[in-house]
Amino acid sequence: MVSKPAKVQVSYEDEVDDLTIEYPSSDGEPMAESEWQYTPLTETVSTLRVRYHERDDVYVGGDMLIYYRMNRNDVSVAPDVFAVFGVTGTHPRDSWLVWREGKAPDFVMEIASSGTWQRDATEKRRIYAEMGVTEYVRFDPTGAYFTPALVFETLEGTEYREQPLTTDADGVLRAHSAVLDLDLCVTPDLRLRLFDPTTAEWLRTHQETESARRESEAARRAAEAENARLREQLEQLRQQS
């Protein structure tokens, strides 16, 4: 896996952390405007958490307030999805304080909605560059706000540079994340999926994993019932002979 450390643009060298200041865990805004945003948000966060569940140096969060100005609890941003590599512990956080955690996120994704997509492309883009977020992704689950539905940018110096996308034979739009070591994919029906290029496998969502578990359990029970039936038949034949 390639995980690049965030280039910290924000400096705290001349400040002293005031531990008496409280940092709220909510800004009063809804988690998502509709199911169009909620589904890819929750699926991506849960899928990435499963992906890195065996690593205690990777934190994956979603819709969490990130404070990036020391001693300023009125300055924050809340990415839809973010991942941080090289941190200590994966314990739950109420919020992310960049100066206390030691670094900013390495990867951020925003999911477009009517009320957010313009700010995602302007103000938030500037903030993430200032924080030193290595990769910044914007995804439009409706196709109503920008085309193509995926924008993938990497930080070069202090500015983001948009990276080219590819489209495979099935019409799947792809961008490779060096930070996650995964392909970010958008299917023709505008569904966001994660693909592991090393194993050439799609990462399963929680729902897909649960469905596969139920199918496996049903198959196991069917096999046990069939084996029991065959044993009963053999026993009947033995008694008749």
Side-chain angles (χ1 to χ4, degrees):
M1 171 179 295
V2 179
S3 56
K4 301 178 181 178
K7 306 174 184 66
V8 179
Q9 315 291 337
V10 182
S11 175
Y12 309 107
E13 292 180 358
D14 299 326
E15 299 182 68
V16 177
D17 190 4
D18 185 348
L19 301 181
T20 66
I21 296 177
E22 295 184 3
Y23 295 89
S25 59
S26 173
D27 57 4
E29 296 294 325
M31 182 175 182
E33 288 189 6
S34 71
E35 191 172 352
W36 290 105
Q37 292 77 39
Y38 179 81
T39 298
L41 189 163
T42 53
E43 284 188 348
T44 304
V45 170
S46 63
T47 301
L48 287 177
R49 284 179 172 173
V50 170
R51 168 75 171 183
Y52 301 115
H53 78 281
E54 294 183 348
R55 293 185 55 175
D56 61 4
D57 65 334
V58 182
Y59 185 84
V60 176
D63 195 47
M64 176 185 290
L65 288 179
I66 294 179
Y67 292 92
Y68 56 95
R69 293 290 188 191
M70 186 183 292
N71 301 329
R72 291 287 303 276
N73 61 6
D74 60 333
V75 179
S76 63
V77 64
D80 288 327
V81 180
F82 70 93
V84 197
F85 291 79
V87 292
T88 303
T90 58
H91 57 275
R93 274 90 161 168
D94 290 330
S95 57
W96 189 274
L97 279 61
V98 173
W99 62 94
R100 292 184 187 173
E101 297 286 355
K103 65 180 302 185
D106 297 289
F107 171 91
V108 163
M109 181 173 71
E110 295 287 5
I111 301 169
S113 68
S114 60
T116 65
W117 73 274
Q118 290 178 314
R119 182 172 180 245
D120 293 342
T122 54
E123 182 184 357
K124 280 193 170 183
R125 185 174 182 270
R126 175 187 58 77
I127 291 171
Y128 294 139
E130 179 184 346
M131 288 168 56
V133 175
T134 304
E135 294 181 346
Y136 180 36
V137 178
R138 299 193 300 279
F139 168 57
D140 181 0
T142 65
Y145 308 112
F146 47 83
T147 303
L150 190 69
V151 178
F152 180 76
E153 297 183 301
T154 58
L155 193 64
E156 297 185 9
T158 60
E159 299 290 336
Y160 281 118
R161 183 179 296 276
E162 187 171 343
Q163 300 300 316
L165 308 176
T166 61
T167 304
D168 64 21
D170 296 323
V172 176
L173 194 65
R174 293 176 180 265
H176 180 70
S177 166
V179 168
L180 302 177
D181 198 22
L182 296 172
D183 289 347
L184 307 171
C185 303
V186 179
T187 62
D189 61 352
L190 297 182
R191 183 184 178 192
L192 183 70
R193 298 293 306 271
L194 299 176
F195 182 83
D196 186 342
T198 302
T199 61
E201 294 179 335
W202 294 101
L203 269 60
R204 286 180 176 177
T205 64
H206 174 75
Q207 182 176 354
E208 289 169 338
T209 300
E210 182 62 18
S211 294
R213 186 194 65 79
R214 291 178 179 177
E215 290 177 1
S216 177
E217 180 65 16
R220 183 187 65 80
R221 291 178 179 177
E224 288 179 350
E226 178 64 14
N227 289 336
R229 185 184 67 82
L230 291 174
R231 286 195 298 271
E232 183 178 354
Q233 287 182 341
L234 289 173
E235 180 63 19
Q236 290 176 350
L237 291 174
R238 187 186 66 78
Q239 292 177 356
Q240 291 173 0
S241 62

